[in-house]
Amino acid sequence: MDKIDPAGFQNILFFTGAGMSAESGIPTYRGSGGVWHEYNWEEYACQAAFNRSPEKVLNFHELRRTSVLGCKPHQGHFIIAKMEEQHPGVTIVTQNIDGMHQRAGNHNVIELHGSLWRVRCPAHGISEDMGEKYTTRKCPECDSWIRPDITWFSDMLNEEVINNAVSAIEQCDLFISIGTSGVVWPAAGFPQIAKEKNAFCIEINPEASDFSGMYDINIREPAGKALPMLFKQN
Ligand code: NAD
């Protein structure tokens, strides 16, 4: 396969899922070793659990923060970061909450499902909180429990974030999906939107999904190996 020259495209969109972070050591959702095989989400990752037992839910999320901080971005993350540095039209739309793209150096990241590194007070909104431990578990202004700014099971998606993602996808002429099984909606419909707008569509995933047939190219390799192979680099 010929290498792709990013300069030949105006707007390049990377759409990433849990497989993007797998080589960094963060387990995927559906694969073996995934966090929801070990923990019951009804006890740790939904608003009802938080209402019942905020301390338990925050302890669990601190464990996840500690484990993610023990992992590092891999070569594939750095290739995407360098591309954003060198090319004006690069956007990342991610289903991941781990912040790995930003740690690699990306800025233009749309996080569909929130972030492990932000917290939210029901009255005073969202703030960054980046350490292993939460700086505070109660809002300094109103004393409410603060919750992770993550889309938990049975939460509504953030409509503004989804609209921003769709609008970026509609404008791209190169769409590269990496490490997503394509079963979580509405993100599962994103490749179709790109295709309908005539973007050139590439899938990077060692395994095929139900949507693999609609891509122009399928690269059956892990992200850290596929990304350096795919692009011409300066
Ligand atoms: P998923 O677990 O359903 O699918 C992961 C996909 O990645 C699979 O198709 C698998 O074949 C592929 N994959 C595995 N290793 C890979 C590699 N090295 N390179 C490329 N692809 C690889 O994940 P999903 O589609 O993102 O959906 C799961 C949901 O769970 C998401 O909405 C996400 O929010 C959440 N999640 C996030 C994280 C994270 O932040 N890192 C981790 C687990 C789950």
Side-chain angles (χ1 to χ4, degrees):
M1 193 191 83
D2 287 342
K3 291 206 177 212
I4 288 186
D5 184 357
F9 295 90
Q10 267 198 321
N11 292 309
I12 302 175
L13 194 131
F14 292 93
F15 172 50
T16 64
M20 179 73 213
S21 297
E23 289 151 275
S24 291
I26 302 171
T28 59
Y29 182 55
R30 281 171 185 78
S32 60
V35 71
W36 305 123
H37 292 287
E38 198 180 331
Y39 293 92
N40 177 2
W41 65 262
E42 285 162 314
E43 282 180 56
Y44 298 100
C46 63
Q47 185 65 44
F50 186 72
N51 295 345
R52 269 194 316 271
S53 185
E55 294 273 30
K56 179 172 161 180
V57 170
L58 291 171
N59 289 344
F60 166 77
H61 283 80
E62 280 185 347
L63 280 179
R64 296 197 66 195
R65 283 155 68 103
T66 303
S67 115
V68 169
L69 283 177
C71 300
K72 291 193 178 80
H74 60 71
Q75 203 192 354
H77 288 109
F78 289 117
I79 287 193
I80 299 175
K82 191 168 168 205
M83 200 171 300
E84 187 185 326
E85 212 178 277
Q86 296 179 338
H87 191 295
V90 171
T91 306
I92 294 96
V93 172
T94 188
Q95 298 170 87
N96 298 340
I97 57 169
D98 56 30
M100 280 292 177
H101 289 298
Q102 291 91 332
R103 274 174 66 192
N106 281 112
H107 300 282
N108 194 14
V109 185
I110 299 175
E111 293 174 309
L112 295 172
H113 298 156
S115 171
L116 260 179
W117 312 109
R118 292 194 302 267
V119 292
R120 193 162 81 214
C121 161
H124 295 96
I126 295 168
S127 49
E128 271 198 348
D129 188 342
M130 308 286 289
E132 281 186 16
K133 302 277 179 203
Y134 289 108
T135 316
T136 173
R137 292 182 166 214
K138 295 234 176 150
C139 173
E141 290 180 68
C142 67
D143 208 36
S144 303
W145 287 100
I146 49 136
R147 59 159 276 181
D149 185 36
I150 292 171
T151 307
W152 280 333
F153 293 87
S154 66
D155 278 349
M156 301 283 282
L157 286 160
N158 182 322
E159 209 176 316
E160 192 186 337
V161 173
I162 300 296
N163 290 343
N164 288 342
V166 169
S167 151
I169 292 163
E170 285 175 340
Q171 287 167 48
C172 76
D173 51 355
L174 177 60
F175 178 93
I176 303 147
S177 154
I178 309 171
T180 176
S181 56
V183 296
V184 178
W185 285 86
F190 288 173
Q192 195 63 43
I193 296 174
K195 193 73 211 154
E196 279 164 14
K197 294 285 176 183
N198 296 317
F200 190 72
C201 295
I202 300 174
E203 177 187 50
I204 297 175
N205 194 323
E207 287 172 31
S209 73
D210 289 352
F211 297 95
S212 290
M214 56 140 283
Y215 288 90
D216 299 293
I217 300 178
N218 306 100
I219 304 177
R220 297 270 164 258
E221 298 283 358
K225 186 170 172 200
L227 282 160
M229 282 178 0
L230 183 59
F231 291 107
K232 273 193 187 152
Q233 289 171 67
N234 297 327

